[in-house]
Amino acid sequence: MRALARLVARADGRGGTALVELHGETPLLLRQTPADGDVATVHLVGGAAGPLAGDDLRLEIEVGPGAAVRVHSVAASIALPGRVGAVSRMAVRAVVHAGATLHWLPEQLVAAAGCAHLAESRIELAAGAGLRWRDELICGRHGEAPGSAVVHTQVDYAGRPLLRQSLAVGPHAPGWAGPAVLGGAPATGSLLVVDPSRPAEPPSAEGSVARLPLAGGPATLWTATAPDAHTLRAHLAG
């Protein structure tokens, strides 16, 4: 299955945000929900099971100058096996202009047994743009080993690299559960906050949670591992 969804937001001239384009195809269905103050809110609704191996799903987001958008999903995304030898792909491309803010806060990605999935995000931030980007990965459903999943995130700020991050888990990623990667934890994730108005925070590590200021812009990255999805979410509250 192939699907393309697109979200374009513009400042409405009254201090709020208007969604001038909101288009989706099954299973990537976008629904506008009540705004959070001046921040337009959209939920991603899965119109079918999956993604299944062989699916190619793409989401494009553009947030115009002065606009603010929050994107959630209504449920976790479960990557499932499909055609033998096929890979499922979910690609998100986001452009956030100066003075705009994007909050990307979906539910978790679950790498079910037998899956082969690639989640790839590329975000371009203009100078003065804001971002709150959360990725969470659960390695298998309850009581099962995970399939193969790769989560890759690329963020540029003011035309320069800010973050390049990749994580691979499952049978095609030797050592992924070892002490150098997840240390046996079934849940992992990260939260990137880019906020020009927020004071820089020093690096820290406490238990399975680490905080790291990034050199390429006004940004802080939190990373965490956890025994379950609920604990992971608490770690990445930011």
Side-chain angles (χ1 to χ4, degrees):
M1 180 181 294
R2 294 178 178 270
L4 172 66
R6 182 167 169 79
L7 186 165
V8 179
R10 298 281 187 262
D12 63 8
R14 302 186 300 275
T17 297
L19 300 177
V20 299
E21 188 174 348
L22 195 64
H23 165 76
E25 300 171 341
T26 302
L28 294 180
L29 303 177
L30 299 176
R31 297 290 184 264
Q32 184 173 6
T33 50
D36 181 5
D38 295 329
V39 181
T41 302
V42 173
H43 276 76
L44 181 62
V45 180
L52 303 173
D55 288 353
D56 187 356
L57 312 178
R58 301 178 185 275
L59 172 60
E60 299 175 352
I61 301 172
E62 182 181 356
V63 188
V69 175
R70 189 184 305 272
V71 181
H72 296 276
S73 60
V74 298
S77 176
I78 304 177
L80 297 168
R83 300 197 314 268
V84 176
V87 176
S88 57
R89 292 179 172 84
M90 175 64 184
V92 182
R93 305 289 184 267
V95 177
V96 186
H97 293 269
T101 303
L102 172 61
H103 304 266
W104 173 260
L105 302 168
E107 295 303 305
Q108 299 88 1
L109 168 65
V110 181
C115 76
H117 184 69
L118 171 62
E120 184 180 31
S121 303
R122 295 184 180 178
I123 306 102
E124 297 179 16
L125 304 172
L131 180 71
R132 190 179 184 87
W133 190 276
R134 185 178 67 210
D135 282 316
E136 295 173 315
L137 175 63
I138 309 302
C139 301
R141 292 170 293 192
H142 181 70
E144 72 175 11
S148 296
V150 176
V151 179
H152 177 71
T153 306
Q154 174 179 313
V155 184
D156 291 342
Y157 182 82
R160 301 182 63 182
L162 177 66
L163 176 67
R164 302 290 188 270
Q165 178 169 273
S166 291
L167 173 66
V169 304
H172 295 130
W176 69 271
V181 188
L182 299 188
T188 185
S190 63
L191 174 69
L192 173 63
V193 177
V194 181
D195 185 350
S197 67
R198 186 168 178 163
E201 299 181 76
S204 68
E206 183 176 350
S208 63
V209 183
R211 181 180 68 207
L212 179 67
L214 302 184
T220 301
L221 178 69
W222 281 263
T223 60
T225 59
D228 54 64
H230 178 76
T231 304
L232 179 65
R233 179 64 55 85
H235 288 335
L236 298 176

